């Protein structure tokens, strides 16, 4: 037991150190400081938004067999934690229903307006500090009109997201760096994308993701799986490194640069002056009319 020899008694710091040495193993719920990161996944339906959430949690996750129908019917919150270089990071990954919903029963289809309503409620009430809005584009299905319309939908309805938006290209597990860059160049050279200047909307840049393919469930192939997981781990690390480095957040209840447009509010004195000028012009006009009538 350590003592303060000058005073002949134990100090408070020494007391705590002694207690921790003897009893810390009984502290079954140790807590630590944690950095939080909130990410919202948006985009067209069936682009792999839910798979991205699973892949971030577990890079060895095997994706589900592709379906022509969407599975996400409501906003879900996936909360996970990682420890990296002695720092704890708590992630909330918000998975939203996709635009241009495709379901078996037409009466259960979620309209784009409903998706917007759910997203608005989420960023207003549920997660108010958002580090990134990630628009997901699938490289496997190629560019189609719904992808472009989905991008324009967010650009039009949420222009304030620009500096908080990133583009994530999914299904890149078998593409090397050159092939991934080719996908992006083809996307941003599309006439409709160029016309709407959509590239500028993704202020946080472009990232890539992938997951182990569902075919591995029935046909295990070590060579193919090794190639896929090598690409997955590289892309995943680049994405998470960036998200961890993010400090600025979007908060709908806080003014951002894009919202700070000065409004010109006329002073009461200015309104009175304008009123007097208008009245003077009316009286002058009436005086001219009466003068002309007298001459007649």
């Amino acid at each position: 037991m350590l003592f303060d020899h000058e005073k002949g008694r134990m100090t408070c710091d020494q007391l705590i150190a002694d207690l921790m040495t003897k009893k810390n193993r009984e502290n079954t719920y140790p807590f630590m400081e944690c950095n939080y990161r909130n990410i919202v996944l948006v985009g067209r339906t069936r682009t792999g938004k839910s798979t991205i959430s699973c892949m971030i949690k577990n890079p060895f996750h095997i994706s589900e067999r592709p379906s022509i129908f969407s599975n996400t019917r409501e906003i879900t919150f996936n909360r996970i934690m990682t420890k990296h270089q002695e720092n704890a990071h708590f992630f909330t990954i918000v998975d939203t229903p996709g635009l241009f919903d495709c379901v078996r029963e037409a009466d259960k289809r979620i309209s784009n307006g409903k998706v917007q309503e759910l997203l608005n409620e989420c960023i207003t009430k549920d997660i108010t500090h958002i580090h990134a809005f990630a628009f997901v584009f699938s490289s496997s299905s190629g560019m189609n009109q719904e992808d472009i319309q989905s991008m324009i939908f967010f650009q039009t309805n949420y222009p304030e997201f620009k500096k908080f938006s990133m583009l994530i290209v999914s299904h890149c597990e078998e593409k090397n760096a050159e092939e991934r860059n080719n996908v992006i160049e083809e996307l941003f050279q599309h006439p409709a994308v160029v016309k709407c200047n959509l590239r500028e909307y993704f202020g946080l840049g472009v990232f890539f993701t992938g997951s182990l393919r569902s075919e591995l469930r029935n046909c295990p192939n070590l060579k193919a799986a090794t190639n896929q997981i090598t690409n997955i781990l590289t892309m995943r690390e680049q994405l998470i490194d960036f998200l961890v480095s993010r400090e600025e957040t979007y908060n709908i209840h806080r003014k951002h640069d894009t919202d700070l447009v000065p409004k010109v509010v006329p002073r009461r004195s200015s309104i009175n002056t304008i009123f007097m000028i208008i009245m003077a012009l009316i009286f002058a006009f009436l005086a001219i009319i009466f003068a002309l009538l007298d001459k007649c």
Side-chain angles (χ1 to χ4, degrees), residues 46-97:
R46 294 173 292 115
T47 53
K49 295 188 294 297
S50 299
T51 301
I52 289 175
S53 179
C54 294
M55 180 277 304
I56 291 177
K57 179 180 180 180
N58 174 21
F60 300 96
H61 167 79
I62 297 180
S63 61
E64 299 299 326
R65 183 170 297 178
S67 171
I68 62 173
F69 301 110
S70 59
N71 294 317
T72 304
R73 314 307 302 154
E74 59 185 7
I75 287 181
T76 59
F77 301 90
N78 303 301
R79 295 180 170 89
I80 53 180
M81 193 193 81
T82 183
K83 191 175 182 181
H84 179 69
Q85 296 178 348
E86 300 304 317
N87 295 316
H89 304 282
F90 185 87
F91 277 63
T92 298
I93 305 173
V94 183
D95 186 12
T96 65

Side-chain angles (χ1 to χ4, degrees), residues 153-209:
F153 177 89
F154 283 98
Q155 182 190 51
T156 302
N157 292 286
Y158 301 100
E160 67 275 18
F161 287 3
K162 178 179 178 180
K163 61 186 296 189
F164 301 92
S165 292
M166 63 169 60
L167 178 65
I168 293 183
V169 182
S170 63
H171 298 94
C172 293
E173 59 276 352
E174 292 192 340
K175 290 180 171 58
N176 59 36
E178 182 179 356
E179 292 170 331
R180 296 196 293 265
N181 289 330
N182 288 338
V183 171
I184 287 303
E185 290 307 313
E186 291 177 9
L187 167 63
F188 287 134
Q189 288 174 10
H190 190 285
V193 174
V194 173
K195 179 181 178 180
C196 296
N197 199 23
L198 289 172
R199 187 170 201 158
E200 297 301 317
Y201 183 67
F202 302 109
L204 299 182
V206 180
F207 294 85
F208 303 90
T209 64

Side-chain angles (χ1 to χ4, degrees), residues 127-146:
I127 304 293
T128 55
H129 291 273
I130 299 165
H131 294 81
F133 293 91
F135 186 97
V136 182
F137 167 75
S138 173
S139 65
S140 64
S141 58
M143 171 64 74
N144 62 53
Q145 194 60 34
E146 289 183 351

Side-chain angles (χ1 to χ4, degrees), residues 232-245:
I232 292 167
L233 289 170
T234 299
M235 297 183 292
R236 176 177 178 268
E237 183 177 19
Q238 291 171 347
L239 174 62
I240 296 177
D241 278 348
F242 178 81
L243 293 173
V244 167
S245 70

